[in-house]
Amino acid sequence: MSLKSAIQPECLPKHVAIIMDGNGRWATQRSQDRNLGHEQGAVAVRETVEAAAEIGIEFLTLYAFSTENWNRPKDEVNALMNLLVRSIHNETPTLMKNHIRLRAIGNLDSLDAKTQEILDEAIEKTAQNTRMTLVLALSYSGRWEITEAVKHIARDVQDNQISISEISEKTVSKAMDTAFMPSPDLLIRTSGEYRISNFLLWQLAYTELYFTNVLWPDFNKDEFYKALIDYQKRERRFGKTSQQLELI
Ligand code: FPP
């Protein structure tokens, strides 16, 4: 039996988020430059996007570049940015063909002009696609996003748009970059690290976490299916008891 056929289509996560980790180690294990790991990582991105769209995932969010990644050596940052621009540019026709909408979250103003231009172009071109939304987290960190949301809400209070007593969890969620999508149902992290690394801190409150030792460049459709199968075995209680869930 193939792994894919073990997945129940009626219990799919709506939103899958992925921390793609291990590109550097993958390259080092092969005595290659780290940037080759990133190049191979882009191949794994392609395969994962294809698998997610085929199976019927509605939102796929990829942690492509964190706020902290700016601190890497300059040549690695440049190589990553070039790879992103190249991948977005080259893959836009595939996104169109497969009816995939592209969105981005993060401090996009901190990206260089060329990257912003290519990204904006692809986002605009794919805006009407409805099969799946692919979200790239770029120059993103959860703490940055929460800080920006706090500033946004504080400004609204100052401008008398909202009173302090009216601020609710919904107000905060709406002030997040991710306001256009539901919280992730499933988070996948590759490379055997057990950390959240400043990713979607607000949104992961009730997300199921899946960790695999596979390094990101080796991640493929079957690895994605394994994560979905594991997710489908989980009981999502959202703070309730198992008994309460049986009554629903
Ligand atoms: C983590 O591996 C990966 C990244 C910092 C970048 C992720 C980028 C890609 C997969 C490239 C292409 C992306 C798109 C969206 C086309 P690491 O370098 O931290 O690995 P290490 O922990 O082994 O050093």
Side-chain angles (χ1 to χ4, degrees):
M1 194 168 81
S2 74
L3 281 168
K4 193 178 181 186
S5 64
I7 298 165
Q8 304 161 47
E10 66 284 3
C11 301
L12 283 173
K14 248 192 176 111
H15 181 181
V16 178
I18 308 184
I19 301 178
M20 311 178 288
D21 197 12
N23 294 352
R25 275 163 284 167
W26 184 92
T28 307
Q29 281 173 7
R30 288 160 178 78
S31 311
Q32 298 283 347
D33 189 82
R34 291 176 55 83
N35 293 332
L36 186 82
H38 297 313
E39 293 283 340
Q40 212 48 46
V43 177
V45 167
R46 193 173 212 275
E47 181 149 343
T48 306
V49 171
E50 204 176 285
E54 271 171 12
I55 205 145
I57 303 298
E58 289 180 40
F59 296 92
L60 178 69
T61 302
L62 303 177
Y63 205 3
F65 194 87
S66 73
T67 312
E68 290 76 21
N69 286 154
W70 289 114
N71 301 322
R72 292 197 173 193
K74 203 169 174 346
D75 79 311
E76 185 170 341
V77 171
N78 288 341
L80 268 168
M81 285 298 151
N82 283 336
L83 175 59
L84 275 167
V85 168
R86 204 175 352 116
S87 302
I88 294 166
H89 182 74
N90 291 345
E91 297 300 338
T92 303
T94 318
L95 295 179
M96 289 306 292
K97 205 173 101 202
N98 291 288
H99 312 285
I100 299 170
R101 171 171 76 141
L102 182 72
R103 295 286 299 253
I105 56 171
N107 187 4
L108 306 179
D109 290 340
S110 67
L111 302 173
D112 68 49
K114 174 90 187 145
T115 310
Q116 283 186 44
E117 190 189 316
I118 297 281
L119 185 64
D120 287 348
E121 240 174 59
I123 290 173
E124 205 179 309
K125 201 158 184 197
T126 60
Q128 303 308 321
N129 294 340
T130 53
R131 186 181 182 196
M132 183 178 87
T133 302
L134 170 64
V135 184
L136 296 183
L138 292 171
S139 190
Y140 174 89
S141 84
R143 287 185 176 178
W144 169 84
E145 185 188 32
I146 292 169
T147 308
E148 290 304 304
V150 169
K151 287 187 208 165
H152 181 98
I153 296 166
R155 270 194 296 270
D156 282 352
V157 170
Q158 198 175 38
D159 298 344
N160 293 317
Q161 300 288 320
I162 187 171
S163 67
I164 290 178
S165 62
E166 282 173 321
I167 297 172
S168 64
E169 288 191 11
K170 207 168 168 185
T171 319
V172 181
S173 291
K174 274 170 71 180
M176 294 286 177
D177 271 27
T178 52
F180 63 93
M181 60 179 166
S183 290
D185 302 292
L186 171 65
L187 172 80
I188 300 171
R189 182 174 188 146
T190 57
S191 89
E193 306 283 358
Y194 299 87
R195 281 191 298 277
I196 300 300
S197 296
N198 216 346
F199 190 40
L200 299 173
L201 295 180
W202 172 265
Q203 299 84 346
L204 292 176
Y206 282 104
T207 301
E208 296 296 329
L209 309 180
Y210 175 85
F211 298 98
T212 169
N213 288 332
V214 171
L215 301 177
W216 178 253
D218 289 328
F219 198 83
N220 55 24
K221 288 189 179 183
D222 273 349
E223 295 301 330
F224 188 68
Y225 300 149
K226 281 185 206 167
L228 295 181
I229 292 166
D230 192 85
Y231 167 84
Q232 294 192 327
K233 289 187 199 136
R234 312 272 180 104
E235 179 186 66
R236 303 192 73 198
R237 291 199 294 274
F238 300 98
K240 294 185 176 164
T241 66
S242 295
Q243 247 174 350
Q244 283 175 305
L245 292 178
E246 277 162 23
L247 297 174
I248 295 171

